[in-house]
Amino acid sequence: IWKSEEGKAMVAFESVNEEVDYGAALRTTRAFVRGFWLMEDLPTRGGAKQCRVTLVQQFNAGGVFPTWAVDKKLPLALKVVQQAIDKFRQDDRI
């Protein structure tokens, strides 16, 4: 789902229930994910364009999910946010 208005854009996502052939027998847990990305323009600061990106995500592991597993996997899930920050960083241009 995509929604756009002046100075804002939102992309929503949701996992789908499709069978996937991974080519091997895996011990996996079926999880469900939904969320959205919100990108907003902010006022120019020091002549540089600014924006804010917000990620809101809901994760349902379908049962008990140990906190140690969340602690281990969460940094991997948030890595995409840091990659976007690094990709669009323009500190050297200010």
Side-chain angles (χ1 to χ4, degrees):
I1 299 172
W2 168 267
K3 181 180 179 184
S4 181
E5 55 186 64
E6 181 102 17
K8 293 182 181 181
M10 180 184 291
V11 179
F13 57 89
E14 185 172 81
S15 56
V16 294
N17 192 16
E18 292 184 5
E19 291 293 323
V20 177
D21 181 5
Y22 292 105
L26 303 173
R27 292 179 57 209
T28 60
T29 301
R30 181 70 182 157
F32 181 80
V33 178
R34 76 166 47 130
F36 65 89
W37 288 92
L38 175 62
M39 287 113 346
E40 304 172 272
D41 285 340
L42 295 176
T44 302
R45 194 165 85 183
K49 291 183 177 181
Q50 303 286 309
C51 71
R52 174 182 17 234
V53 177
T54 305
L55 169 62
V56 176
Q57 189 171 8
Q58 177 188 22
F59 174 74
N60 182 345
V64 177
F65 203 75
T67 55
W68 65 264
V70 174
D71 292 342
K72 182 178 179 180
K73 296 297 184 178
L74 191 57
L76 297 173
L78 295 176
K79 186 177 181 180
V80 68
V81 176
Q82 186 61 51
Q83 288 172 337
I85 290 168
D86 294 342
K87 174 86 174 171
F88 294 103
R89 178 172 282 134
Q90 296 185 20
D91 294 347
D92 58 330
R93 301 176 114 194
I94 297 175

